[in-house]
Amino acid sequence: MDSPAHKTFEPEAHWRDIAGALRAKIDERSLLPGTRLPSLEKLASQSGTSIHQARKAIDQLKRSGHVTGWRGKGNFVSEDTFVYRLSARTRFNANLSVEGKETTLKMVGRMRRSAPDHVAKAFGLRIGAQVQRAEFVRVVEDRPAILARHYYPPSPRFQSILDLIGHHGSVTAALAQCGISDFLRRETSISARLPTAHEALILEIPRTQPVLTTIGVNVGDGDCVVEVSEAVCRSDRVTFKA
């Protein structure tokens, strides 16, 4: 029998060593959120152990929330999460700054288009009326979190709103320059569904991962609707709280 000083590792210790080493790299952020991990075969080879032990290590990290696995795509370091608080004055940047999160806005597209039915109804327009739409990505801690689509009425007041959002990187600042110094959230609806191919590509998720979607109606003076917003949110990153 081996003495304690020369005792060899039991098989169980191998997967614990692998999991511990990966967890340490994730916690110290030498492996960043969204990083794809080596395949089980490569992880086993790097660790000098079996695929079975590598799989046990990854399964443990999934249970602890450090790793997320996507069928057909591999295993990834889990994304940072954040709470998005819904209120009468819902402001994205202000919301996230409370949690110490860095955010940026990246414009994806801007256009005039026919209003979807719910947008036309909110603005009191006829179905098919032209509205302005800005589409942009909300990036949190350097990772995509939300694909947003904001609609504005066909009013001279908002003729430059799309350019202003791109310029300021802020919807609130753009609206202020259009003379909307304050606005309130009149209503918010939340649902879940699977992403479209476009949404999955922008948010860097597989099409099998559900997204949370919100539709918000914002009003200015006199309860006049100034904006209808749609947000397609990564369900592994965002938690809504009223």
Side-chain angles (χ1 to χ4, degrees):
M1 179 180 295
D2 291 334
S3 67
H6 296 88
K7 186 176 180 180
T8 58
F9 280 119
E10 295 296 329
E12 185 178 29
H14 286 305
W15 75 260
R16 291 186 185 277
D17 289 343
I18 298 169
L22 288 172
R23 186 184 298 110
K25 290 181 178 180
I26 293 170
D27 289 343
E28 68 190 17
R29 298 185 78 82
S30 58
L31 282 176
L32 295 173
T35 300
R36 184 173 184 172
L37 298 178
S39 67
L40 294 178
E41 291 81 1
K42 188 169 184 179
L43 192 58
S45 175
Q46 291 173 343
S47 306
T49 188
S50 68
I51 292 177
H52 174 69
Q53 295 299 315
R55 182 178 291 109
K56 287 186 68 174
I58 293 298
D59 287 345
Q60 172 59 33
L61 291 172
K62 288 179 181 177
R63 287 192 292 271
S64 67
H66 287 79
V67 169
T68 300
W70 291 342
R71 184 179 297 275
K73 287 184 173 291
N75 297 304
F76 298 78
V77 177
S78 295
E79 300 283 357
D80 286 329
T81 61
F82 59 89
V83 174
Y84 190 79
R85 291 172 174 80
L86 300 172
S87 67
R89 282 187 170 83
T90 297
R91 306 290 188 269
F92 187 83
N93 291 341
N95 240 320
L96 275 292
S97 65
V98 172
E99 296 194 35
K101 302 289 188 183
E102 293 186 5
T103 68
T104 55
L105 180 154
K106 294 183 178 179
M107 189 70 77
V108 175
R110 61 192 84 179
M111 67 176 72
R112 290 181 63 88
R113 57 156 293 173
S114 297
D117 290 358
H118 69 283
V119 173
K121 181 179 179 180
F123 285 138
L125 301 172
R126 61 176 176 79
I127 300 299
Q130 292 289 298
V131 293
Q132 298 187 88
R133 188 187 81 173
E135 184 178 44
F136 48 86
V137 184
R138 298 283 195 180
V139 178
V140 180
E141 298 293 320
D142 295 321
R143 297 286 297 149
I146 297 173
L147 177 61
R149 301 180 182 105
H150 287 219
Y151 296 86
Y152 300 94
S155 164
R157 187 178 198 179
F158 298 103
Q159 63 182 356
S160 301
I161 186 70
L162 304 186
D163 291 334
L164 291 172
I165 292 173
H167 173 71
H168 290 291
S170 164
V171 171
T172 301
L175 284 170
Q177 195 163 337
C178 291
I180 310 296
S181 58
D182 192 23
F183 58 94
L184 299 176
R185 178 61 59 88
R186 188 169 75 185
E187 61 184 69
T188 302
S189 61
I190 303 175
S191 59
R193 60 172 172 79
L194 293 177
T196 65
H198 172 67
E199 292 164 349
L201 179 65
I202 295 295
L203 293 174
E204 299 181 17
I205 56 175
R207 291 198 65 185
T208 54
Q209 178 174 314
V211 291
L212 298 173
T213 64
T214 69
I215 297 178
V217 177
N218 294 323
V219 298
D221 294 338
D223 202 39
C224 178
V225 177
V226 297
E227 177 186 64
V228 177
S229 65
E230 298 178 355
V232 182
C233 312
R234 288 188 55 152
S235 58
D236 61 339
R237 299 204 65 188
V238 183
T239 300
F240 291 106
K241 187 174 182 179

